[in-house]
Amino acid sequence: MFHSMREAGVHPADRITLVDVLSSSTAVGALELGAELDSRTHVSKDMPSKNEASWNALICGLAFNGRGHDAIQQFELMRNEEGLRPDEITFIGALSACVHTGLLEYSHRLFNSLTLVFKITPRIEHYACMIDLMARAGHLEEAWDSHKKIPRKKDVNVEVGEKVIHRIMKLEPSNSWNYVVSSKVYATTDRLDDSARIVGLMRERGVSKTPGCSWVEVNGNVLEFYASTEPQHGAED
């Protein structure tokens, strides 16, 4: 209808028309049309005053559409603007941008500033962004440690834990640690069927658990002892 409107020679000067078309462009992924309208209207630059809501819409919109670096740039502009203070929504957008761009070190600074600088209690969404980013970067144990620190009820922790496990199992499908931890997550919340399913999946894929091992020195020789139900090659009785 908008294209028909222009073909009929009607100039889309009404701001309601432009807002509707921009919203529709977002819904269907019409990036070129949206960029064209944005270049004509300069909505953000020409706003007489920008509040937290408008900044959040801009930062989150950029982050959720894969423009992470642009979102971070806008976050820094907002943080340096007098009279404005990022809120918990702002940080969700900024941390999501870090996930898209792989800015692990920067994300740690942002997350630490939540409480220390801005006195904001981290929400499940903030933790989820950090866990996702660390898992993508291969920092699997750090991701798991962050998951354990989430101060929420068990079912929420399991939900986030499942996301972490799914991510790291894709990255390292032959790592027995992923299966063992996943099984324990379910077991500690009384989801024993799911715990057993993970153990079965581990066996089905032929993944062997690394046995526990200890050393003792006897007469100048270091002997290894393995905790396993099957004899290990080289182990001493």
Side-chain angles (χ1 to χ4, degrees):
M1 292 300 295
F2 176 73
H3 287 309
S4 298
M5 177 182 178
R6 291 205 298 188
E7 289 172 2
V10 180
H11 183 65
D14 189 287
R15 62 183 179 181
I16 296 178
T17 304
L18 294 174
V19 168
D20 285 341
V21 178
L22 280 170
S23 178
S24 300
S25 299
T26 301
V28 300
L31 181 60
E32 291 185 5
L33 177 59
E36 177 191 347
L37 293 175
D38 182 58
S39 66
R40 290 187 178 188
T41 57
H42 299 291
V43 175
S44 179
K45 292 181 181 178
D46 292 343
M47 287 182 67
S49 67
K50 290 179 278 190
N51 58 16
E52 285 84 355
S54 58
W55 277 105
N56 287 349
L58 177 60
I59 294 168
C60 291
L62 290 168
F64 298 158
N65 285 279
R67 296 176 59 179
H69 289 293
D70 291 333
I72 294 299
Q73 183 181 40
Q74 295 301 318
F75 173 80
E76 291 294 339
L77 289 174
M78 175 190 182
R79 190 162 65 171
N80 294 325
E81 188 160 318
E82 188 176 351
L84 287 178
R85 189 175 181 83
D87 59 19
E88 58 186 24
I89 304 300
T90 317
F91 277 93
I92 290 174
L95 289 172
S96 296
C98 291
V99 173
H100 288 294
T101 53
L103 296 174
L104 183 59
E105 187 175 329
Y106 180 80
S107 72
H108 277 295
R109 294 202 301 270
L110 281 186
F111 189 83
N112 291 336
S113 70
L114 265 172
T115 303
L116 294 176
V117 178
F118 296 96
K119 311 304 178 185
I120 298 173
T121 301
R123 289 170 41 174
I124 185 71
E125 293 86 354
H126 301 123
Y127 281 102
C129 287
M130 292 301 298
I131 291 169
D132 191 6
L133 182 56
M134 286 184 283
R136 287 172 185 257
H139 297 196
L140 307 183
E141 293 191 14
E142 189 176 359
W144 182 247
D145 286 340
S146 294
H147 161 257
K148 291 190 291 185
K149 293 176 183 177
I150 299 177
R152 297 294 294 272
K153 54 187 179 181
K154 286 185 177 180
D155 56 343
V156 174
N157 277 337
V158 170
E159 181 182 347
V160 178
E162 285 180 311
K163 292 181 180 179
V164 175
I165 294 300
H166 290 160
R167 171 72 64 181
I168 61 181
M169 286 175 85
K170 285 183 179 180
L171 292 173
E172 294 185 343
S174 60
N175 189 338
S176 62
W177 178 88
N178 301 336
Y179 298 87
V180 173
V181 172
S182 180
S183 178
K184 287 182 179 179
V185 169
Y186 290 124
T188 55
T189 53
D190 297 324
R191 294 175 58 176
L192 301 182
D193 289 342
D194 288 319
S195 178
R197 177 177 57 83
I198 294 297
V199 175
L201 181 63
M202 179 178 175
R203 292 173 179 168
E204 179 184 320
R205 295 180 176 178
V207 178
S208 300
K209 181 180 180 296
T210 303
C213 177
S214 61
W215 295 265
V216 62
E217 184 177 359
V218 178
N219 296 328
N221 295 317
V222 177
L223 307 179
E224 292 179 312
F225 295 86
Y226 290 87
S228 175
T229 57
E230 299 178 3
Q232 300 293 321
H233 179 69
E236 299 287 342
D237 293 330

